[in-house]
Amino acid sequence: MAPPLTISAAVARRFLVLRHLLAPPRSLPAAPESVMTVMGRLGSLQFDPLDIAGRNHDLVLLSRIAGYRRDWTDALLYKERRLYESYNKGLSVLPTTEMPWFRLTWDRSRARHEGSTFDEHSPLVAELLERIRRVGPLSSTDVEPRAAIDWYWRPTNQVRAILEALAEAGILGLSRREGNRRVYDLVERLFPGELLATRIPERDQLRHRVLSRYRAHGLLGASGQAEIWLGLGPASATAAANGTKPWPTTRGVLRQELIESGDLVAMAVEGIRGERYVVREELDLVSQAEREVERGAGPGGHVPGVAFLAPLDPLVWDRDLLRRLFGFDYIWEVYVPAAKRRHGYYVLPVLLGDRIVGRIEPRIDRRTNVLRIIGLWWEEGFDPLAERGLVDGLSEALEAHRRFGDARRIVLPRTIAHRPLVRALRKAVAV
């Protein structure tokens, strides 16, 4: 086997922003088809319903697409159905054409529920399915609530729990969302029968999923925090022996098969311990990154731009690599008690070119129709006013976020420390 290619840390950072379509930010055309362009590059986007500054997948798309509108993705999900919701490292948005490759979650959930939930609550299962067949799409609020049952993290209305279980099993799908209210229908009414009938061996699905994680991030290694590898089975034979679920093989074996087939190419990054892996089709982007860094050009040949990265953006999945490669220690503190937070509730990394230089906490205040910047923090030693492109880039990113949130104006921090920067920004944004 050929030794891994070796690149510098600077080239690795440049490669990542190039392949993440962030060189420069918001460079894709202002059109719904750009959503599919991002999906084609990253493969899937995590769906998180928290809508503080925008939902996670919307923020990923906002940083890459000029004039992005959330209804573009909603239409692709719930009208055109070129995208659908399923599980790949948590609840995700996936291309519908990939459905046969991600049936594993449905099939395993169905087997689990058929041995428990569906048997224990069979009358309600039959009632709900019959009502959907007869009347059409259904939400839990359309049915009189039943007694709460133990359900994952907390007791839940029995109707809501059973609808969720039927969706997890691939019997129901999402007809639409009304805010965070989920409206369900039979999957055969939502997706082509030929697609639903296609069956791919479980082992092949797992290998495809392993590849999907490398496609999403771009430079993962063999390990990393456990959440990166959710749903892929054990990492090694030892982990498999200690586990309770039967899996056809281990993640390590599947990764090795992808390396041997040439789908993944080993890469060594100077100063970073352990091999990393690049998807074969992106080796040209590695070469482009090397050329740009060598001649001192900006990312993609542009003046460095600014993007606010979503908390579950694939670029920030690997927190250890983020620290080692970008010198940035990021914790999404939404689940951290307020008294223990270092920064804020919904804080986003600030990307400048191919560096992460700070954090921002935007909040779309729909009551007053403004975009509020609750907090703004720069990395130690970083002077925003002395940095080429920062003020203009930050102005553009703020204005893009304001338009996305349909806000009238932007309210910036009023602390003494930010006054010089705020004065510079006032010339360019609607404040």
Side-chain angles (χ1 to χ4, degrees):
M1 187 177 298
L5 302 172
T6 300
I7 58 175
S8 68
V11 169
R13 288 191 294 270
R14 182 63 56 89
F15 161 70
L16 281 172
V17 297
L18 286 169
R19 63 91 49 198
H20 273 277
L21 304 169
L22 290 165
R26 299 171 298 282
S27 57
L28 293 177
E33 196 59 35
S34 290
V35 175
M36 299 306 297
T37 300
V38 176
M39 295 301 302
R41 173 63 60 85
L42 303 181
S44 66
L45 300 177
Q46 282 186 257
F47 187 112
D48 187 274
L50 277 178
D51 195 358
I52 307 302
R55 299 167 298 180
N56 179 76
H57 67 283
D58 289 320
L59 295 177
V60 173
L61 295 165
L62 174 61
S63 65
R64 291 157 171 86
I65 301 172
Y68 171 72
R69 306 298 300 174
R70 61 188 292 159
D71 57 0
W72 296 348
T73 306
D74 287 348
L76 290 165
L77 279 165
Y78 312 122
K79 293 180 181 177
E80 299 175 40
R81 304 205 183 279
R82 295 171 66 189
L83 302 174
Y84 80 114
E85 292 184 34
S86 192
Y87 284 84
N88 183 33
K89 190 188 177 293
L91 182 60
S92 299
V93 177
L94 293 158
T96 304
T97 53
E98 293 267 274
M99 187 178 289
W101 294 96
F102 289 91
R103 282 198 65 101
L104 173 61
T105 301
W106 284 357
D107 293 342
R108 285 192 164 230
S109 294
R110 185 164 187 162
R112 184 179 74 253
H113 287 309
E114 284 181 341
S116 57
T117 307
F118 294 161
D119 290 343
E120 294 166 16
H121 305 280
S122 57
L124 182 56
V125 170
E127 176 189 337
L128 293 173
L129 289 177
E130 172 58 25
R131 180 163 175 172
I132 291 173
R133 289 191 190 98
R134 183 169 43 84
V135 178
L138 182 75
S139 169
S140 62
T141 59
D142 296 327
V143 181
E144 182 181 349
R146 313 295 165 88
I149 59 173
D150 289 336
W151 191 246
Y152 295 121
W153 298 281
R154 63 184 182 275
T156 298
N157 167 19
Q158 194 177 156
V159 172
R160 177 178 176 178
I162 298 306
L163 287 172
E164 286 182 2
L166 288 166
E168 289 172 358
I171 297 168
L172 299 180
L174 279 189
S175 173
R176 63 186 184 276
R177 281 181 181 264
E178 297 172 353
N180 283 329
R181 179 173 173 261
R182 289 166 289 184
V183 181
Y184 300 95
D185 202 352
L186 301 172
V187 290
E188 56 264 33
R189 290 176 176 167
L190 302 176
F191 304 109
E194 181 180 350
L195 196 66
L196 292 170
T198 302
R199 291 293 187 273
I200 293 171
E202 184 174 294
R203 194 180 193 282
D204 294 343
Q205 289 186 57
L206 279 169
R207 183 169 54 242
H208 185 82
R209 284 195 182 204
V210 170
L211 181 60
S212 79
R213 306 300 164 87
Y214 288 95
R215 283 181 62 201
H217 180 272
L219 201 59
L220 289 176
S223 59
Q225 57 266 39
E227 66 177 23
I228 295 175
W229 311 107
L230 284 174
L232 296 179
S236 64
T238 301
N242 294 332
T244 57
K245 290 183 181 179
W247 294 90
T249 188
T250 66
R251 192 169 74 235
V253 168
L254 295 172
R255 183 181 61 254
Q256 187 60 37
E257 290 177 3
L258 291 166
I259 295 168
E260 291 173 358
S261 67
D263 292 292
L264 292 179
V265 178
M267 193 77 59
V269 181
E270 293 175 354
I272 306 294
R273 185 175 61 186
E275 288 184 355
R276 298 271 154 180
Y277 302 95
V278 171
V279 176
R280 173 181 52 199
E281 291 80 8
E282 296 184 357
L283 289 176
D284 286 348
L285 289 175
V286 176
S287 298
Q288 180 181 342
E290 290 178 319
R291 293 192 300 270
E292 288 185 3
V293 170
E294 183 177 354
R295 67 173 187 262
H302 299 273
V303 174
V306 170
F308 307 146
L309 301 178
L312 300 173
D313 192 303
L315 179 57
V316 303
W317 277 2
D318 190 336
R319 301 291 203 254
D320 183 62
L321 182 66
L322 211 60
R323 284 190 294 271
R324 295 174 184 276
L325 188 60
F326 289 89
F328 188 77
D329 187 13
Y330 180 54
I331 298 174
W332 189 31
E333 297 183 289
V334 70
Y335 300 115
V336 175
K340 296 184 178 181
R341 290 182 194 135
R342 294 186 300 172
H343 296 99
Y345 176 69
Y346 205 92
V347 172
L348 313 179
V350 177
L351 180 76
L352 172 64
D354 56 10
R355 295 180 294 154
I356 300 178
V357 298
R359 303 155 209 267
I360 190 167
E361 186 176 9
R363 184 167 301 174
I364 299 171
D365 187 336
R366 291 178 175 82
R367 182 180 59 84
T368 58
N369 200 24
V370 301
L371 172 64
R372 296 187 184 278
I373 307 305
I374 307 299
L376 188 59
W377 303 264
W378 303 111
E379 290 294 274
E380 186 176 353
F382 182 82
D383 182 350
L385 292 176
E387 192 69 34
R388 174 175 174 250
L390 186 281
V391 172
D392 289 342
L394 184 58
S395 299
E396 291 172 8
L398 287 168
E399 182 62 17
H401 213 118
R402 182 192 68 79
R403 292 194 301 269
F404 163 74
D406 294 322
R408 291 182 297 105
R409 62 191 183 95
I410 301 167
V411 175
L412 297 166
R414 298 185 179 183
T415 58
I416 294 175
H418 291 309
R419 282 180 185 173
L421 177 61
V422 168
R423 282 196 294 268
L425 289 171
R426 286 186 186 281
K427 300 176 182 178
V429 299
V431 295

